[in-house]
Amino acid sequence: AIATTPDSHRSIAAIMCDPCGCVIVNQADVKIIETCGAFTKIAHAGFHCLIPCLCQCTNGMLSMRLQQMQVTCETKTKDNVFVTIKVAVQYQINNDDESIKAAQYRLTNAREQIESYVYDVVRSSVPKIELDDVFETKDEISNSIKQNLTLSMGEFGYAILASPITDIDPDAQVKRAMNEINK
């Protein structure tokens, strides 16, 4: 069985060699070329010829497009109110050969890695802040997420472009109570 991940876009067709040795790479993608299972080069957009009798084949395709993922994290504030915070992380692989190679060989699932770092930052910063202040400091929390992700994901070839907090949703009972106070 061949393992597939959303980030590497691996498929049976991407791993098997074309008997003619012809490889076509789409504009926003790159393919990894290996010889006898060892990294040889990166195939950028266009037509490439491989030599199948020398065990040259593609092993994986990476998208160079800007990608976005939504991370939803529930945590408790300093005043013991549960809130659900949604963060939109916008990321992409850096367009240099070392970054592409790192993204292919050093990290199995970028999305899970990003998600765990977002959880870590949110769950370590929000419990120190009261509910009212969470709304006021969302930009600081967002910047902290971006800095943390930039440092950690940079070594795997990824650039983090933004990580805005798109929603802060307190527990339903707290929302009702707040609405009653504001009437």
Side-chain angles (χ1 to χ4, degrees), residues 25-30 45 62-65:
V25 182
N26 293 328
Q27 184 63 39
D29 298 328
V30 295
L62 297 169
S63 174
M64 300 306 288
R65 294 180 184 96

Side-chain angles (χ1 to χ4, degrees), residues 173-183:
Q173 293 176 350
V174 174
K175 278 206 281 193
R176 273 196 300 278
M178 291 172 91
N179 286 335
E180 288 297 320
I181 291 170
N182 292 330
K183 283 185 178 180

Side-chain angles (χ1 to χ4, degrees), residues 78-103:
K78 186 176 182 180
D79 46 356
N80 292 322
V81 176
F82 280 95
V83 293
T84 302
I85 295 178
K86 292 181 182 174
V87 180
V89 179
Q90 299 160 357
Y91 65 98
Q92 71 184 108
I93 298 171
N94 293 321
N95 199 13
D96 62 273
D97 287 356
E98 285 305 310
S99 294
I100 293 168
K101 191 174 172 183

Side-chain angles (χ1 to χ4, degrees), residues 121-167:
V121 173
V122 170
R123 290 185 175 155
S124 66
S125 57
V126 173
K128 299 174 189 171
I129 308 168
E130 292 188 359
L131 178 61
D132 290 339
D133 296 333
V134 171
F135 290 95
E136 294 173 14
T137 61
K138 78 175 196 165
D139 289 337
E140 292 170 28
I141 298 168
S142 174
N143 288 338
S144 179
I145 292 168
K146 184 176 186 254
Q147 286 176 339
N148 192 310
L149 283 173
T150 299
L151 284 173
S152 58
M153 296 303 291
E155 65 186 75
F156 299 113
Y158 286 85
I160 306 300
L161 298 149
S163 60
I165 294 176
T166 57
D167 190 24

